[in-house]
Amino acid sequence: MRAKKRLGQNFLQDAAIIAQIIQLIRPEQSQQIIEIGPGTGALTDHLAEVGVPLSLIEFDQDLIAPLQQRFRQHKHVTIYHQDALQLKLNQGSYLVVGNLPYNISSPLLINLLKQSNHIQRGVFMLQKELVQRICAPPGVKAFGRLSVMLQHRFDCYAALTVPPEAFKPVPKVDSQIIELIPKINPTEVDITSLEFIVKQAFAQRRKTIRNNLKKWFSDDELQSFHIDPQQRPETLLVTQYEQLAQQYHAHH
Ligand code: SAM
């Protein structure tokens, strides 16, 4: 089957890499699994072996019949022809995994973080550069909007780097596995407020936090959170962004 670029289709084809990814996923430690973008089933075969309920979310109509055929003997595998961006986790706690379509990785992760109370653990393949950004600590250049949003809800770990040759077709960039573990006691923050504040704070990276947030916070207010108004947005701590978002939410 021809891979569709617009659906971010790069299929894993290196058995050794697939085995390493499955080891990182540790599917046997879960009650139920969701795989986003199973594609032609490179990871799915191994996930299905575990025998726990496995839901597959695949957007490409052309892949649905082959998946149904491939897993017709597996009663615990359910295939959904659905856009993962619309995924709603209503109950239970899931191990969510996937070699994600790169063009929708960021919105997909934001959708998942809003439902992190239903996530036991997440293991995803992303562009390496994106993994590096998500896992970056404050103070380094890569620290940005996605780092704050994801680190607010998850402990984020960068794992195995995967070279382009492991896929067909061969992508232009390196990939990397990221492991997301929901925080046991995440700070209570209205997510929409956090998204808003972080977006404003990083609107102009080279400007100070005072400049980026001047419509919403005075110097005194910033200082009350131990923020020097002259700081650049990438030097604030995640907890400081959470505090700013709480304050913003309380007044809007
Ligand atoms: N898991 C397979 C593998 O590792 O070989 C395929 C990975 S491929 C990078 C991404 C998969 O996500 C493709 O099968 C693609 O059709 C599917 N996909 C793309 N957009 C999607 C969406 N919005 N919702 C669900 N699946 C999507």
Side-chain angles (χ1 to χ4, degrees):
M1 184 164 318
R2 269 199 68 172
K4 296 177 180 129
K5 211 171 169 192
R6 86 193 144 77
L7 289 174
Q9 291 181 349
N10 297 94
F11 299 111
L12 272 167
Q13 48 140 26
D14 181 318
I17 298 269
I18 291 169
Q20 287 182 63
I21 296 171
I22 296 296
Q23 260 183 12
L24 287 167
I25 293 177
R26 300 192 302 279
E28 64 288 345
Q29 292 180 7
S30 70
Q31 303 299 312
Q32 34 193 351
I33 309 173
I34 295 176
E35 188 191 2
I36 294 170
T40 48
L43 299 171
T44 324
D45 281 343
H46 304 271
L47 300 174
E49 269 172 25
V50 182
V52 303
L54 171 62
S55 303
L56 309 178
I57 316 289
E58 176 55 63
F59 198 32
D60 185 353
Q61 172 73 57
D62 295 342
L63 293 173
I64 298 298
L67 283 168
Q68 280 166 342
Q69 177 65 15
R70 191 161 180 153
F71 297 106
R72 69 186 185 286
Q73 307 282 15
H74 295 74
K75 293 281 172 277
H76 60 287
V77 177
T78 316
I79 299 159
Y80 297 92
H81 177 215
Q82 196 196 331
D83 179 355
L85 287 174
Q86 308 296 331
L87 186 65
K88 292 261 178 315
L89 306 174
N90 295 318
Q91 42 184 279
S93 183
Y94 299 85
L95 169 63
V96 187
V97 305
N99 171 11
L100 296 188
Y102 294 153
N103 44 348
I104 59 159
S105 299
S106 301
L108 196 59
L109 291 171
I110 295 288
N111 177 29
L112 290 176
L113 94 90
K114 292 176 179 169
Q115 315 183 60
S116 64
N117 51 335
H118 292 298
I119 296 179
Q120 176 203 333
R121 216 155 55 85
V123 182
F124 301 106
M125 175 117 65
L126 308 172
Q127 273 187 33
K128 181 173 183 175
E129 183 256 319
L130 189 60
V131 171
Q132 295 299 316
R133 281 201 275 138
I134 292 170
C135 298
V140 309
K141 219 171 139 198
F143 185 77
R145 283 168 70 179
L146 269 183
S147 338
V148 178
M149 294 308 298
L150 283 149
Q151 290 176 28
H152 155 62
R153 281 295 176 90
F154 297 107
D155 290 322
C156 307
Y157 302 98
L160 182 71
T161 298
V162 180
E165 303 74 48
F167 304 88
K168 208 171 171 182
V170 178
K172 292 200 179 70
V173 294
D174 276 339
S175 302
Q176 191 166 23
I177 301 286
I178 188 169
E179 182 176 10
L180 303 175
I181 304 191
K183 295 209 149 126
I184 298 166
N185 287 315
T187 310
E188 288 275 342
V189 180
D190 173 64
I191 284 282
T192 314
S193 301
L194 184 63
E195 268 183 309
F196 177 78
I197 288 301
V198 170
K199 183 174 174 206
Q200 301 306 325
F202 284 94
Q204 304 206 56
R205 269 186 171 267
R206 290 171 180 196
K207 293 207 168 164
T208 60
I209 197 74
R210 166 196 282 141
N211 245 295
N212 281 313
L213 294 184
K214 64 174 177 262
K215 280 196 202 141
W216 301 281
F217 294 97
S218 66
D219 280 7
D220 282 352
E221 284 175 310
L222 292 176
Q223 278 157 348
S224 74
F225 299 122
H226 304 285
I227 298 166
D228 176 346
Q230 305 274 23
Q231 280 181 248
R232 309 275 154 178
E234 72 272 16
T235 66
L236 270 64
L237 306 174
V238 174
T239 49
Q240 289 173 319
Y241 279 113
E242 290 168 345
Q243 289 168 331
L244 290 171
Q246 283 169 335
Q247 165 114 347
Y248 171 82
H249 186 61
H251 295 98
H252 288 83

PDB file of all heavy atoms in Angstrom, residues 220-242:
ATOM      1  N   ASP A 220       4.727  44.108  40.173  1.00  0.00           N
ATOM      2  CA  ASP A 220       4.547  43.644  41.552  1.00  0.00           C
ATOM      3  C   ASP A 220       3.970  42.241  41.598  1.00  0.00           C
ATOM      4  O   ASP A 220       4.393  41.413  42.404  1.00  0.00           O
ATOM      5  CB  ASP A 220       3.603  44.595  42.319  1.00  0.00           C
ATOM      6  CG  ASP A 220       4.329  45.855  42.752  1.00  0.00           C
ATOM      7  OD1 ASP A 220       5.581  45.902  42.593  1.00  0.00           O
ATOM      8  OD2 ASP A 220       3.648  46.787  43.230  1.00  0.00           O
ATOM      9  N   GLU A 221       2.994  42.009  40.738  1.00  0.00           N
ATOM     10  CA  GLU A 221       2.381  40.676  40.723  1.00  0.00           C
ATOM     11  C   GLU A 221       3.406  39.612  40.296  1.00  0.00           C
ATOM     12  O   GLU A 221       3.490  38.550  40.888  1.00  0.00           O
ATOM     13  CB  GLU A 221       1.178  40.655  39.776  1.00  0.00           C
ATOM     14  CG  GLU A 221      -0.040  41.348  40.365  1.00  0.00           C
ATOM     15  CD  GLU A 221      -1.183  41.432  39.370  1.00  0.00           C
ATOM     16  OE1 GLU A 221      -0.962  41.879  38.225  1.00  0.00           O
ATOM     17  OE2 GLU A 221      -2.300  41.058  39.741  1.00  0.00           O
ATOM     18  N   LEU A 222       4.188  39.948  39.278  1.00  0.00           N
ATOM     19  CA  LEU A 222       5.219  38.991  38.841  1.00  0.00           C
ATOM     20  C   LEU A 222       6.175  38.709  39.995  1.00  0.00           C
ATOM     21  O   LEU A 222       6.507  37.559  40.286  1.00  0.00           O
ATOM     22  CB  LEU A 222       5.990  39.539  37.638  1.00  0.00           C
ATOM     23  CG  LEU A 222       5.202  39.652  36.321  1.00  0.00           C
ATOM     24  CD1 LEU A 222       6.067  40.305  35.237  1.00  0.00           C
ATOM     25  CD2 LEU A 222       4.720  38.280  35.847  1.00  0.00           C
ATOM     26  N   GLN A 223       6.578  39.783  40.666  1.00  0.00           N
ATOM     27  CA  GLN A 223       7.540  39.615  41.765  1.00  0.00           C
ATOM     28  C   GLN A 223       6.961  38.808  42.916  1.00  0.00           C
ATOM     29  O   GLN A 223       7.694  38.102  43.608  1.00  0.00           O
ATOM     30  CB  GLN A 223       8.048  40.988  42.235  1.00  0.00           C
ATOM     31  CG  GLN A 223       9.161  41.467  41.322  1.00  0.00           C
ATOM     32  CD  GLN A 223       9.351  42.980  41.330  1.00  0.00           C
ATOM     33  OE1 GLN A 223       8.518  43.720  41.847  1.00  0.00           O
ATOM     34  NE2 GLN A 223      10.452  43.435  40.744  1.00  0.00           N
ATOM     35  N   SER A 224       5.646  38.887  43.085  1.00  0.00           N
ATOM     36  CA  SER A 224       5.030  38.103  44.168  1.00  0.00           C
ATOM     37  C   SER A 224       5.177  36.605  43.906  1.00  0.00           C
ATOM     38  O   SER A 224       5.054  35.793  44.819  1.00  0.00           O
ATOM     39  CB  SER A 224       3.560  38.483  44.348  1.00  0.00           C
ATOM     40  OG  SER A 224       2.789  37.948  43.304  1.00  0.00           O
ATOM     41  N   PHE A 225       5.420  36.228  42.654  1.00  0.00           N
ATOM     42  CA  PHE A 225       5.693  34.814  42.333  1.00  0.00           C
ATOM     43  C   PHE A 225       7.199  34.560  42.176  1.00  0.00           C
ATOM     44  O   PHE A 225       7.607  33.569  41.578  1.00  0.00           O
ATOM     45  CB  PHE A 225       4.971  34.409  41.037  1.00  0.00           C
ATOM     46  CG  PHE A 225       3.474  34.543  41.116  1.00  0.00           C
ATOM     47  CD1 PHE A 225       2.786  35.360  40.213  1.00  0.00           C
ATOM     48  CD2 PHE A 225       2.752  33.867  42.085  1.00  0.00           C
ATOM     49  CE1 PHE A 225       1.404  35.485  40.291  1.00  0.00           C
ATOM     50  CE2 PHE A 225       1.360  33.991  42.161  1.00  0.00           C
ATOM     51  CZ  PHE A 225       0.690  34.801  41.267  1.00  0.00           C
ATOM     52  N   HIS A 226       7.987  35.476  42.704  1.00  0.00           N
ATOM     53  CA  HIS A 226       9.456  35.383  42.602  1.00  0.00           C
ATOM     54  C   HIS A 226       9.935  35.382  41.158  1.00  0.00           C
ATOM     55  O   HIS A 226      10.893  34.701  40.812  1.00  0.00           O
ATOM     56  CB  HIS A 226       9.985  34.153  43.353  1.00  0.00           C
ATOM     57  CG  HIS A 226       9.564  34.138  44.789  1.00  0.00           C
ATOM     58  ND1 HIS A 226      10.135  34.952  45.735  1.00  0.00           N
ATOM     59  CD2 HIS A 226       8.596  33.441  45.425  1.00  0.00           C
ATOM     60  CE1 HIS A 226       9.518  34.748  46.897  1.00  0.00           C
ATOM     61  NE2 HIS A 226       8.597  33.846  46.736  1.00  0.00           N
ATOM     62  N   ILE A 227       9.210  36.117  40.332  1.00  0.00           N
ATOM     63  CA  ILE A 227       9.634  36.258  38.931  1.00  0.00           C
ATOM     64  C   ILE A 227      10.210  37.659  38.768  1.00  0.00           C
ATOM     65  O   ILE A 227       9.555  38.646  39.143  1.00  0.00           O
ATOM     66  CB  ILE A 227       8.427  36.081  37.974  1.00  0.00           C
ATOM     67  CG1 ILE A 227       7.823  34.680  38.117  1.00  0.00           C
ATOM     68  CG2 ILE A 227       8.843  36.351  36.523  1.00  0.00           C
ATOM     69  CD1 ILE A 227       6.446  34.530  37.469  1.00  0.00           C
ATOM     70  N   ASP A 228      11.407  37.742  38.246  1.00  0.00           N
ATOM     71  CA  ASP A 228      11.990  39.034  37.902  1.00  0.00           C
ATOM     72  C   ASP A 228      11.381  39.453  36.561  1.00  0.00           C
ATOM     73  O   ASP A 228      11.488  38.708  35.588  1.00  0.00           O
ATOM     74  CB  ASP A 228      13.515  38.840  37.800  1.00  0.00           C
ATOM     75  CG  ASP A 228      14.225  40.119  37.338  1.00  0.00           C
ATOM     76  OD1 ASP A 228      13.543  41.053  36.849  1.00  0.00           O
ATOM     77  OD2 ASP A 228      15.467  40.147  37.449  1.00  0.00           O
ATOM     78  N   PRO A 229      10.730  40.613  36.497  1.00  0.00           N
ATOM     79  CA  PRO A 229      10.069  41.029  35.252  1.00  0.00           C
ATOM     80  C   PRO A 229      11.001  41.034  34.033  1.00  0.00           C
ATOM     81  O   PRO A 229      10.528  40.981  32.899  1.00  0.00           O
ATOM     82  CB  PRO A 229       9.580  42.448  35.567  1.00  0.00           C
ATOM     83  CG  PRO A 229       9.471  42.500  37.059  1.00  0.00           C
ATOM     84  CD  PRO A 229      10.524  41.581  37.601  1.00  0.00           C
ATOM     85  N   GLN A 230      12.303  41.072  34.284  1.00  0.00           N
ATOM     86  CA  GLN A 230      13.271  41.086  33.176  1.00  0.00           C
ATOM     87  C   GLN A 230      13.572  39.688  32.624  1.00  0.00           C
ATOM     88  O   GLN A 230      14.293  39.548  31.646  1.00  0.00           O
ATOM     89  CB  GLN A 230      14.618  41.670  33.643  1.00  0.00           C
ATOM     90  CG  GLN A 230      14.533  43.033  34.256  1.00  0.00           C
ATOM     91  CD  GLN A 230      14.587  44.127  33.202  1.00  0.00           C
ATOM     92  OE1 GLN A 230      14.275  43.888  32.031  1.00  0.00           O
ATOM     93  NE2 GLN A 230      14.978  45.313  33.608  1.00  0.00           N
ATOM     94  N   GLN A 231      13.064  38.672  33.293  1.00  0.00           N
ATOM     95  CA  GLN A 231      13.366  37.306  32.836  1.00  0.00           C
ATOM     96  C   GLN A 231      12.774  37.051  31.453  1.00  0.00           C
ATOM     97  O   GLN A 231      11.769  37.644  31.078  1.00  0.00           O
ATOM     98  CB  GLN A 231      12.770  36.279  33.822  1.00  0.00           C
ATOM     99  CG  GLN A 231      13.597  36.055  35.061  1.00  0.00           C
ATOM    100  CD  GLN A 231      12.963  35.002  35.981  1.00  0.00           C
ATOM    101  OE1 GLN A 231      12.507  35.333  37.065  1.00  0.00           O
ATOM    102  NE2 GLN A 231      12.927  33.760  35.547  1.00  0.00           N
ATOM    103  N   ARG A 232      13.431  36.142  30.728  1.00  0.00           N
ATOM    104  CA  ARG A 232      12.865  35.685  29.437  1.00  0.00           C
ATOM    105  C   ARG A 232      11.909  34.536  29.722  1.00  0.00           C
ATOM    106  O   ARG A 232      12.088  33.811  30.722  1.00  0.00           O
ATOM    107  CB  ARG A 232      13.976  35.172  28.517  1.00  0.00           C
ATOM    108  CG  ARG A 232      15.128  36.114  28.340  1.00  0.00           C
ATOM    109  CD  ARG A 232      14.867  37.111  27.253  1.00  0.00           C
ATOM    110  NE  ARG A 232      15.666  38.303  27.530  1.00  0.00           N
ATOM    111  CZ  ARG A 232      15.700  39.369  26.757  1.00  0.00           C
ATOM    112  NH1 ARG A 232      14.958  39.421  25.674  1.00  0.00           N
ATOM    113  NH2 ARG A 232      16.441  40.390  27.067  1.00  0.00           N
ATOM    114  N   PRO A 233      10.935  34.337  28.825  1.00  0.00           N
ATOM    115  CA  PRO A 233       9.907  33.318  29.120  1.00  0.00           C
ATOM    116  C   PRO A 233      10.473  31.927  29.367  1.00  0.00           C
ATOM    117  O   PRO A 233       9.905  31.168  30.161  1.00  0.00           O
ATOM    118  CB  PRO A 233       9.014  33.338  27.873  1.00  0.00           C
ATOM    119  CG  PRO A 233       9.733  34.140  26.843  1.00  0.00           C
ATOM    120  CD  PRO A 233      10.646  35.054  27.586  1.00  0.00           C
ATOM    121  N   GLU A 234      11.585  31.573  28.734  1.00  0.00           N
ATOM    122  CA  GLU A 234      12.076  30.192  28.895  1.00  0.00           C
ATOM    123  C   GLU A 234      12.793  29.959  30.223  1.00  0.00           C
ATOM    124  O   GLU A 234      13.220  28.840  30.498  1.00  0.00           O
ATOM    125  CB  GLU A 234      12.965  29.768  27.713  1.00  0.00           C
ATOM    126  CG  GLU A 234      14.335  30.412  27.657  1.00  0.00           C
ATOM    127  CD  GLU A 234      14.324  31.726  26.899  1.00  0.00           C
ATOM    128  OE1 GLU A 234      13.236  32.303  26.676  1.00  0.00           O
ATOM    129  OE2 GLU A 234      15.424  32.190  26.537  1.00  0.00           O
ATOM    130  N   THR A 235      12.904  31.015  31.055  1.00  0.00           N
ATOM    131  CA  THR A 235      13.610  30.819  32.328  1.00  0.00           C
ATOM    132  C   THR A 235      12.651  30.652  33.520  1.00  0.00           C
ATOM    133  O   THR A 235      13.100  30.404  34.637  1.00  0.00           O
ATOM    134  CB  THR A 235      14.565  31.997  32.622  1.00  0.00           C
ATOM    135  OG1 THR A 235      13.780  33.172  32.821  1.00  0.00           O
ATOM    136  CG2 THR A 235      15.549  32.212  31.487  1.00  0.00           C
ATOM    137  N   LEU A 236      11.348  30.802  33.272  1.00  0.00           N
ATOM    138  CA  LEU A 236      10.412  30.601  34.384  1.00  0.00           C
ATOM    139  C   LEU A 236      10.216  29.108  34.642  1.00  0.00           C
ATOM    140  O   LEU A 236      10.325  28.294  33.719  1.00  0.00           O
ATOM    141  CB  LEU A 236       9.040  31.211  34.061  1.00  0.00           C
ATOM    142  CG  LEU A 236       8.834  32.675  34.470  1.00  0.00           C
ATOM    143  CD1 LEU A 236       9.788  33.586  33.705  1.00  0.00           C
ATOM    144  CD2 LEU A 236       7.398  33.103  34.231  1.00  0.00           C
ATOM    145  N   LEU A 237       9.906  28.777  35.896  1.00  0.00           N
ATOM    146  CA  LEU A 237       9.637  27.381  36.237  1.00  0.00           C
ATOM    147  C   LEU A 237       8.204  27.012  35.851  1.00  0.00           C
ATOM    148  O   LEU A 237       7.337  27.888  35.775  1.00  0.00           O
ATOM    149  CB  LEU A 237       9.805  27.162  37.742  1.00  0.00           C
ATOM    150  CG  LEU A 237      11.137  27.598  38.350  1.00  0.00           C
ATOM    151  CD1 LEU A 237      11.097  27.446  39.868  1.00  0.00           C
ATOM    152  CD2 LEU A 237      12.282  26.778  37.746  1.00  0.00           C
ATOM    153  N   VAL A 238       7.962  25.735  35.666  1.00  0.00           N
ATOM    154  CA  VAL A 238       6.600  25.270  35.374  1.00  0.00           C
ATOM    155  C   VAL A 238       5.657  25.700  36.501  1.00  0.00           C
ATOM    156  O   VAL A 238       4.536  26.160  36.253  1.00  0.00           O
ATOM    157  CB  VAL A 238       6.572  23.739  35.162  1.00  0.00           C
ATOM    158  CG1 VAL A 238       5.137  23.234  34.995  1.00  0.00           C
ATOM    159  CG2 VAL A 238       7.414  23.348  33.943  1.00  0.00           C
ATOM    160  N   THR A 239       6.128  25.592  37.739  1.00  0.00           N
ATOM    161  CA  THR A 239       5.267  25.977  38.878  1.00  0.00           C
ATOM    162  C   THR A 239       4.914  27.467  38.812  1.00  0.00           C
ATOM    163  O   THR A 239       3.826  27.858  39.219  1.00  0.00           O
ATOM    164  CB  THR A 239       5.960  25.699  40.227  1.00  0.00           C
ATOM    165  OG1 THR A 239       7.273  26.246  40.170  1.00  0.00           O
ATOM    166  CG2 THR A 239       6.047  24.218  40.512  1.00  0.00           C
ATOM    167  N   GLN A 240       5.830  28.291  38.308  1.00  0.00           N
ATOM    168  CA  GLN A 240       5.514  29.724  38.199  1.00  0.00           C
ATOM    169  C   GLN A 240       4.442  29.958  37.127  1.00  0.00           C
ATOM    170  O   GLN A 240       3.543  30.781  37.310  1.00  0.00           O
ATOM    171  CB  GLN A 240       6.788  30.525  37.920  1.00  0.00           C
ATOM    172  CG  GLN A 240       7.687  30.551  39.159  1.00  0.00           C
ATOM    173  CD  GLN A 240       9.043  31.188  38.920  1.00  0.00           C
ATOM    174  OE1 GLN A 240       9.662  30.969  37.879  1.00  0.00           O
ATOM    175  NE2 GLN A 240       9.511  31.954  39.888  1.00  0.00           N
ATOM    176  N   TYR A 241       4.520  29.215  36.034  1.00  0.00           N
ATOM    177  CA  TYR A 241       3.451  29.327  35.029  1.00  0.00           C
ATOM    178  C   TYR A 241       2.111  28.866  35.608  1.00  0.00           C
ATOM    179  O   TYR A 241       1.062  29.447  35.328  1.00  0.00           O
ATOM    180  CB  TYR A 241       3.804  28.540  33.761  1.00  0.00           C
ATOM    181  CG  TYR A 241       4.738  29.317  32.872  1.00  0.00           C
ATOM    182  CD1 TYR A 241       6.040  28.903  32.662  1.00  0.00           C
ATOM    183  CD2 TYR A 241       4.304  30.506  32.272  1.00  0.00           C
ATOM    184  CE1 TYR A 241       6.901  29.648  31.866  1.00  0.00           C
ATOM    185  CE2 TYR A 241       5.152  31.253  31.477  1.00  0.00           C
ATOM    186  CZ  TYR A 241       6.453  30.820  31.278  1.00  0.00           C
ATOM    187  OH  TYR A 241       7.298  31.568  30.498  1.00  0.00           O
ATOM    188  N   GLU A 242       2.165  27.826  36.427  1.00  0.00           N
ATOM    189  CA  GLU A 242       0.918  27.341  37.045  1.00  0.00           C
ATOM    190  C   GLU A 242       0.333  28.434  37.957  1.00  0.00           C
ATOM    191  O   GLU A 242      -0.871  28.674  37.941  1.00  0.00           O
ATOM    192  CB  GLU A 242       1.201  26.068  37.856  1.00  0.00           C
ATOM    193  CG  GLU A 242       1.519  24.867  36.964  1.00  0.00           C
ATOM    194  CD  GLU A 242       2.096  23.663  37.725  1.00  0.00           C
ATOM    195  OE1 GLU A 242       2.527  23.825  38.890  1.00  0.00           O
ATOM    196  OE2 GLU A 242       2.131  22.570  37.147  1.00  0.00           O
TER     197      GLU A 242
END
